[in-house]
Amino acid sequence: MISEIAAWLMTLFVVDPLQAQVREHLERANVSAQTLQQSQQCISAQAPQLLKRAGEEPVWAVTTAAGVTLGWTSPAQLLNASDPNCAELSRILQTDEGAEAGS
């Protein structure tokens, strides 16, 4: 039961906002079709892993969801940068966050 709630919280506060943020960043960055495809593959691969971890570690899920929601944790930190499909997306998200912080 708790693991299901943790997975729901992770979906509601992390995965869904992450997908929306990725779409927004990619539209703004005017990326290539290849980068767009890699980003979609990254999210498709990472989301189930995040949900699995949330089910196994409910405390991590709650603290991560709170951290992302409050801006303490960057969604880019949740992506596996060693995954070739996530490397470029991580770079784009981190670059955009750095630009926003400087504004």
Side-chain angles (χ1 to χ4, degrees), residues 62-78 97:
V62 171
T63 57
T64 300
V68 169
T69 301
L70 297 171
W72 298 335
T73 303
S74 163
Q77 293 173 307
L78 301 175
E97 287 168 2

Side-chain angles (χ1 to χ4, degrees), residues 29-98:
N30 196 22
V31 298
S32 68
Q34 179 183 1
T35 299
L36 180 61
Q37 182 180 14
Q38 286 177 323
S39 298
Q40 291 169 338
Q41 290 171 346
C42 171
I43 298 297
S44 294
Q46 296 298 303
Q49 291 177 8
L50 291 171
L51 294 176
K52 180 181 181 211
R53 184 171 178 191
E56 294 171 350
E57 301 176 45
V59 172
W60 173 84
V62 171
T63 57
T64 300
V68 169
T69 301
L70 297 171
W72 298 335
T73 303
S74 163
Q77 293 173 307
L78 301 175
L79 301 176
N80 180 359
S82 65
D83 179 336
N85 289 322
C86 295
E88 181 65 11
L89 177 57
S90 253
R91 187 193 64 73
I92 291 169
L93 290 173
Q94 290 172 348
T95 300
D96 283 352
E97 287 168 2

